Amino acid sequence: MVKRKLVVDPSKCVGCRYCELWCSFKHEGVFSTSLSRISLIKDDRLGLDYPVVCEFCDPAPCVASCPTGALNVLSNGVIYVDVGKCVSCSECVTSCPYNVLKLHPITSKPIVCDLCGGSPICVVKCPTNALRIYPVGVVEYGLEELAALLGKQFKRAAEAHKGLMRLWGVRVE
Amino acid sequence: MCVLSRLYGYAGKVLRINLSSYDVKVEETRKELVRGYLGGRGLNARRLYDEVGPNVDPLSPENRLMISTGPLAGLAFPIGTRLNVTAKSPQTGLLGDSNVGGHFAAEMKFAGFDQIVIEGRSERPVYLYVHDGSVEFRSASGLRGLTISEAYREIRKELRDVRAQIALIGPSAENLVKFSGIFFNVYRPAARTGLGAVLASKNVKAIVVRGDGYVEVADSKRFEEFVSFIEELIYSHQQYWPRRVMGTSRILLAANMLGFLPVRHFQDSVADYPYGVSGERLALEYNVKNRSCFSCVLPCSRFYVVKYGTYEGCFGEGPEYEALAGMTVRIGIKDLNAALKLVSLINDLGMDVISVSEVISWCMELFERGLLNKDEVGLNLEWGDVNSVTQLVEMISRREGFGGLLADGVAKAAERLGRGDELAFHVKGLEMIQADPRGLKGYGLGFAVASRGADHLRSEPFIELADDPRLGAELFGEPEATLRLGVKGKGKLVAYYENWCAVVDSIEVCKNIAENMEILTFDRIAELLNIVTGIEVSKDDVIAVGERIVNLERAYLAREGIRRKDDRLPKRFLVERIKDGPSKGHIIELETMLDEYYEVRGWDLINGLPTTRKLVELGLSDVVEDLERRGIKLLDGKDLTSGLPTMEKFTDKLAKLRLSDVVARLSGG
């Protein structure tokens, strides 16, 4: 099965933390930026705003690192935490290559993005469209005539443009 | 991890820090205070009234600096949350108060506090690190003299925490420049009334907050629905996109079209080069991305980069209208690049750009009139001379030479110079903002009566820009009330909007969205408070909170000796007619409007003091006792008709205290 994941357009993110708050509310019933599955990196001086969230690695290092088998990958790529098996050793936190996975400040069990079962609240609530779901379906790029006509010049433009399309949440092959 | 109290929406704790003894106390947030004042500005004003008396010197250890948030900070409420900083102002000697957005308020709530109260004076330079319910006094000796952005970097490096929210003062505050501010996360200043100097006098360079707490609402389901409703109101509002693209910088071009720009120190109300320095041009050529306050769906702050020219590569957030107009038309600068550089310099040094624009433009006008010469200043202060302005800004920040005279604000500068008093544009010691009151009469009345001095944010009667007499007739029973150049009905208009602003400042949400875009009306605020805090409040209760705060602040000013004679505007606006443009020929008819204002407020027309009856009605009997104990005689106001003014019942419940009655009673004993 082709996996979906969250994509971030950093030029659109304004750093309002609305995604974090609704994530925390949906999963924990309270508002906190420490209890969300998505977290913002910010620097006010330079105007840096960038949300980081589970990349759904395949194979997933967090799953491999878990000594008790509490973490498992579901068929859609989402990491499932079996709280009963977890011993809060934080091996998964250390192993996460993006430092996204974190422990719940109260229960000390790992919290990780579950894509809200298909329509993530962060994507729904984002006021600037900076967050999208990378879709299952693939779109054909279909600019062969331009490629044939322009050659190397086109190659460069197409690379940049395909990068942009990924940020827009369009899967191009 | 601290679990917050069951006072829904609030953190439930007040942090008191005494720097003289390095004592830290945590108190409960009192429920009855929250009911009466909601939070933010209201809570701070009450504490200032109770704890900082008339004998306290603003720069002494006895002065208290308070930072307070409201019930909505930390929630996913679509209108950005803010906080209020209050202390006795070193600039005016009166109520010092400034409101600021950004992310500090929410983080402070997550750290477990609704209010932080700082008193005393540390013997060594420190910065305060408040995290998860505790406080660390960390050495700031290495930070002395650093600018805002430098100190921000150093503290972030030291704490190694990306989420730490930092409030800072710059070098000008350390030099006790009387209009220096506290800067939250580099670009967000609480700069009016000189609160930076208060923090500096306590030997505190910065306050850092960080917390892992959470906030709960009383009714989650209704909250979700209410948020969707408010989101829709905001997203579908006709001002959504103009505000998102330009923020308040869009006002500059509009002000030129309506004729209320402060061109060359209010000598003209229109400029012939507005586009070149407008928000529209910024959006087109400079802005690279938007940034937002905590939990706000209308990200109106803009990050700009200068593309070419001498100041190529200069970047930052903003500027908003006040800074933009202040550093362009008010001092005659036509080069937008230079203006951006100046704004960024003034911010980085930690000063209030509005006050700086007034002291500099005041000097320039004196220069033009030959009342000041090159030898005295050491600079050639011609209109629009960027180099001189830059040098003067640095001189003010260091209190060097002539800059030292200006660093106490325009009122004291004029006094010490012995010249230019009539040209010093301030009210109660606070410099005027970038709007000519002759072209915006409701705002003008607002400046005169505002509790912190010449300021639009106490009333902000935005509706008068609509220039629609039907609105005025319907809402206030006076068609002129909503006409920009009208006079009748302005008292009602300003009183109504003052109450509204006080409430909005106390629940600590963005005034641009809540009030100017008319999203959070009184009934919606009542519903929201009920959903979030669980406290049953009606629309009238909410209006009463606003009125209570305005009256309390007035009582505070009264205790400091402020009377009607101080509710004045600079002479130019009262006697000189506007020369050109759409507001041509207008002056401001202040006295007429003042009479109406006091009447609506239920205050004494002679002295501008609140009446006993009004204060008691608002539950401020202790204030009446306090004022009387200090020998301040209040009128009883028994002939006032009862009831609070509301939008619908404004006319029939209008206070009936007429000037003649007061005179008769005073003369009859």
Side-chain angles (χ1 to χ4, degrees):
Chain A
M1 187 186 173
V2 190
K3 288 185 301 183
R4 304 173 83 185
K5 62 176 194 174
L6 284 168
V7 283
V8 179
D9 185 342
S11 68
K12 286 186 180 154
C13 179
V14 295
C16 62
R17 296 186 181 270
Y18 213 46
C19 52
E20 289 187 342
L21 291 168
W22 282 106
C23 177
S24 141
F25 183 68
K26 183 151 182 176
H27 293 94
E28 312 284 340
V30 294
F31 295 99
S32 166
T33 47
S34 305
L35 295 174
S36 67
R37 277 78 182 141
I38 185 166
S39 343
L40 259 104
I41 301 172
K42 284 173 78 77
D43 183 277
D44 291 293
R45 188 177 67 91
L46 298 173
L48 161 69
D49 303 296
Y50 190 81
V52 287
V53 68
C54 182
E55 292 277 335
F56 306 104
C57 313
D58 186 18
C62 51
V63 175
S65 75
C66 182
T68 63
L71 267 62
N72 286 293
V73 188
L74 300 183
S75 61
N76 59 0
V78 164
I79 312 292
Y80 171 74
V81 183
D82 186 341
V83 194
K85 283 186 186 166
C86 174
V87 291
S88 307
C89 66
S90 74
E91 283 294 327
C92 49
V93 177
T94 324
S95 74
C96 178
Y98 303 102
N99 210 359
V100 169
L101 204 138
K102 58 185 175 189
L103 295 188
H104 192 295
I106 300 171
T107 64
S108 298
K109 306 290 180 197
I111 49 176
V112 61
C113 177
D114 57 3
L115 288 176
C116 293
S119 68
I121 190 82
C122 53
V123 175
V124 174
K125 286 287 186 182
C126 179
T128 60
N129 254 336
L131 288 168
R132 277 161 205 279
I133 280 274
Y134 201 46
V136 179
V138 178
V139 177
E140 194 198 334
Y141 199 58
L143 286 175
E144 294 79 7
E145 69 289 359
L146 270 184
L149 199 65
L150 298 167
K152 284 177 188 166
Q153 194 183 19
F154 178 73
K155 200 177 157 207
R156 188 171 174 155
E159 268 168 29
H161 184 239
K162 280 180 181 171
L164 265 182
M165 288 187 82
R166 271 194 292 279
L167 293 183
W168 300 339
V170 184
R171 188 185 286 259
V172 197
E173 292 300 327
Chain B
M1 175 80 203
C2 64
V3 179
L4 307 175
S5 91
R6 304 304 293 177
L7 196 60
Y8 287 105
Y10 295 88
K13 297 268 189 298
V14 176
L15 177 66
R16 296 192 80 117
I17 301 172
N18 187 329
L19 287 156
S20 300
S21 56
Y22 302 106
D23 260 351
V24 175
K25 261 196 287 185
V26 177
E27 292 169 3
E28 294 284 314
T29 305
R30 280 158 57 203
K31 212 168 184 172
E32 69 276 13
L33 271 185
V34 163
R35 279 192 84 112
Y37 299 94
L38 301 176
R41 174 177 152 197
L43 220 51
N44 280 352
R46 182 72 235 194
R47 195 178 288 280
L48 191 76
Y49 188 91
D50 290 342
E51 298 184 10
V52 183
N55 303 322
V56 174
D57 174 359
L59 294 178
S60 71
E62 286 75 43
N63 195 3
R64 288 178 189 182
L65 185 109
M66 300 150 232
I67 301 177
S68 183
T69 70
L72 302 173
L75 297 179
F77 189 65
I79 306 180
T81 46
R82 303 174 65 88
L83 61 87
N84 209 90
V85 192
T86 306
K88 195 171 190 179
S89 162
Q91 189 181 5
T92 62
L94 306 168
L95 173 72
D97 171 305
S98 204
N99 199 285
V100 69
H103 291 243
F104 192 97
E107 202 64 42
M108 183 172 136
K109 177 85 64 77
F110 295 144
F113 300 107
D114 293 317
Q115 195 177 30
I116 298 178
V117 185
I118 300 168
E119 60 186 292
R121 174 182 287 150
S122 170
E123 52 188 29
R124 55 192 163 85
V126 291
Y127 74 88
L128 308 173
Y129 182 29
V130 179
H131 57 96
D132 290 313
S134 63
V135 186
E136 274 177 53
F137 299 91
R138 298 177 73 109
S139 166
S141 43
L143 301 173
R144 197 175 154 75
L146 294 190
T147 63
I148 302 290
S149 55
E150 288 165 353
Y152 175 82
R153 282 183 76 184
E154 288 305 316
I155 292 177
R156 267 172 80 97
K157 259 190 238 165
E158 189 181 315
L159 295 178
R160 299 167 61 83
D161 186 348
V162 288
R163 256 183 61 192
Q165 303 297 318
I166 305 169
L168 272 168
I169 55 167
S172 58
E174 290 171 29
N175 297 332
L176 299 182
V177 172
K178 294 283 172 61
F179 41 80
S180 52
I182 303 176
F183 283 65
F184 291 76
N185 295 64
V186 191
Y187 301 116
R188 292 172 189 276
R192 300 238 78 189
T193 66
L195 299 168
V198 176
L199 206 54
S201 77
K202 304 199 173 305
N203 229 343
V204 175
K205 176 75 177 176
I207 303 164
V208 186
V209 291
R210 170 70 167 90
D212 279 326
Y214 59 81
V215 197
E216 282 175 282
V217 294
D219 190 336
S220 301
K221 197 168 174 300
R222 269 175 75 208
F223 182 75
E224 253 182 296
E225 287 163 12
F226 192 76
V227 164
S228 303
F229 166 67
I230 296 289
E231 274 176 357
E232 204 176 312
L233 285 179
I234 297 174
Y235 287 140
S236 60
H237 198 283
Q238 58 170 355
Q239 286 179 28
Y240 182 82
W241 281 100
R243 283 190 183 276
R244 180 157 155 186
V245 174
M246 292 176 278
T248 58
S249 67
R250 75 199 178 103
I251 297 171
L252 197 138
L253 214 52
N256 193 61
M257 270 187 284
L258 296 173
F260 61 84
L261 274 181
V263 182
R264 292 184 299 122
H265 200 228
F266 298 92
Q267 296 192 60
D268 289 310
S269 67
V270 283
D272 51 8
Y273 54 91
Y275 175 74
V277 294
S278 66
E280 279 76 356
R281 179 159 178 237
L282 272 172
L284 203 65
E285 297 178 31
Y286 294 79
N287 297 347
V288 289
K289 69 172 279 193
N290 280 53
R291 300 203 75 218
S292 129
C293 293
F294 187 87
S295 181
C296 183
V297 301
L298 204 177
C300 68
S301 177
R302 296 130 284 116
F303 204 81
Y304 70 84
V305 179
V306 177
K307 282 195 285 196
Y308 44 75
T310 324
Y311 308 107
E312 183 184 297
C314 168
F315 65 83
E317 246 185 86
E320 298 302 333
Y321 167 69
E322 297 300 329
L324 185 63
M327 285 301 117
T328 55
V329 292
R330 188 152 174 172
I331 56 175
I333 287 179
K334 299 178 185 180
D335 176 1
L336 189 51
N337 290 358
L340 290 172
K341 183 68 194 172
L342 275 172
V343 173
S344 117
L345 173 71
I346 295 167
N347 280 348
D348 218 24
L349 293 171
M351 290 186 279
D352 175 12
V353 72
I354 302 176
S355 293
V356 171
S357 72
E358 168 59 21
V359 293
I360 292 178
S361 59
W362 172 72
C363 288
M364 285 175 161
E365 187 167 358
L366 291 186
F367 221 78
E368 189 186 16
R369 288 166 187 263
L371 294 167
L372 195 67
N373 59 47
K374 198 180 164 189
D375 299 333
E376 283 175 282
V377 190
L379 294 165
N380 198 22
L381 278 176
E382 302 286 343
W383 294 110
D385 185 339
V386 179
N387 287 333
S388 299
V389 173
T390 311
Q391 282 182 51
L392 192 55
V393 165
E394 282 167 354
M395 278 162 67
I396 295 171
S397 153
R398 289 194 297 264
R399 276 188 171 272
E400 190 182 286
F402 196 73
L405 181 97
L406 299 178
D408 286 333
V410 76
K412 294 204 181 86
E415 202 181 299
R416 277 169 55 195
L417 193 67
R419 270 166 280 163
D421 186 39
E422 279 184 3
L423 295 172
F425 294 159
H426 66 92
V427 177
K428 302 184 182 82
L430 187 70
E431 287 81 358
M432 292 243 319
I433 64 140
Q434 328 295 357
D436 194 318
R438 291 168 291 184
L440 269 182
K441 295 187 181 175
Y443 275 75
L445 174 61
F447 296 168
V449 297
S451 56
R452 68 173 180 183
D455 198 87
H456 58 305
L457 292 168
R458 286 302 203 236
S459 49
E460 189 100 69
F462 213 72
I463 201 168
E464 74 175 3
L465 286 164
D467 255 338
D468 183 350
R470 282 170 310 172
L471 277 175
E474 198 182 312
L475 300 173
F476 300 102
E478 293 282 2
E480 273 191 36
T482 49
L483 290 179
R484 188 165 62 85
L485 299 169
V487 174
K488 270 186 90 181
K490 292 293 186 197
K492 291 176 204 168
L493 175 81
V494 168
Y496 183 83
Y497 274 84
E498 271 190 336
N499 291 352
W500 196 356
C501 284
V503 172
V504 168
D505 279 341
S506 298
I507 58 172
E508 290 301 346
V509 287
C510 173
K511 209 174 276 160
N512 275 330
I513 304 178
E515 189 237 321
N516 290 349
M517 284 165 64
E518 296 176 348
I519 302 284
L520 280 191
T521 48
F522 284 121
D523 48 343
R524 287 181 193 146
I525 293 174
E527 191 184 346
L528 177 64
L529 285 172
N530 178 245
I531 293 170
V532 170
T533 64
I535 300 172
E536 280 295 336
V537 279
S538 69
K539 178 184 167 186
D540 288 342
D541 294 337
V542 178
I543 300 176
V545 169
E547 216 189 350
R548 185 176 301 123
I549 294 166
V550 172
N551 276 274
L552 180 75
E553 288 179 349
R554 188 69 188 186
Y556 182 81
L557 296 186
R559 203 170 69 176
E560 299 285 336
I562 294 295
R563 298 290 181 269
R564 176 171 176 154
K565 65 176 170 37
D566 302 294
D567 292 343
R568 52 172 279 280
L569 282 172
K571 197 177 163 195
R572 170 168 295 166
F573 306 110
L574 304 176
V575 298
E576 272 179 44
R577 296 188 182 274
I578 288 190
K579 286 183 220 147
D580 210 354
S583 311
K584 188 176 176 181
H586 277 272
I587 51 166
I588 181 160
E589 297 81 351
L590 185 64
E591 294 305 318
T592 323
M593 295 196 289
L594 274 180
D595 280 344
E596 191 191 312
Y597 173 80
Y598 295 134
E599 211 171 285
V600 174
R601 277 262 171 252
W603 291 353
D604 147 12
L605 288 185
I606 306 258
N607 288 318
L609 295 173
T611 51
T612 306
R613 165 154 182 180
K614 181 49 84 181
L615 291 176
V616 171
E617 196 179 283
L618 294 166
L620 295 170
S621 326
D622 55 324
V623 171
V624 175
E625 282 166 32
D626 177 63
L627 291 179
E628 276 169 359
R629 203 174 55 240
R630 291 166 195 274
I632 297 166
K633 209 167 155 19
L634 302 179
L635 290 186
D636 59 15
K638 274 205 185 103
D639 48 353
L640 283 173
T641 48
S642 64
L644 300 158
T646 64
M647 186 79 99
E648 300 91 340
K649 293 169 185 164
F650 226 88
T651 38
D652 51 80
K653 285 198 177 178
L654 184 64
K656 291 269 163 54
L657 194 68
R658 303 238 163 253
L659 184 60
S660 51
D661 301 349
V662 180
V663 176
R665 196 140 32 89
L666 284 178
S667 51

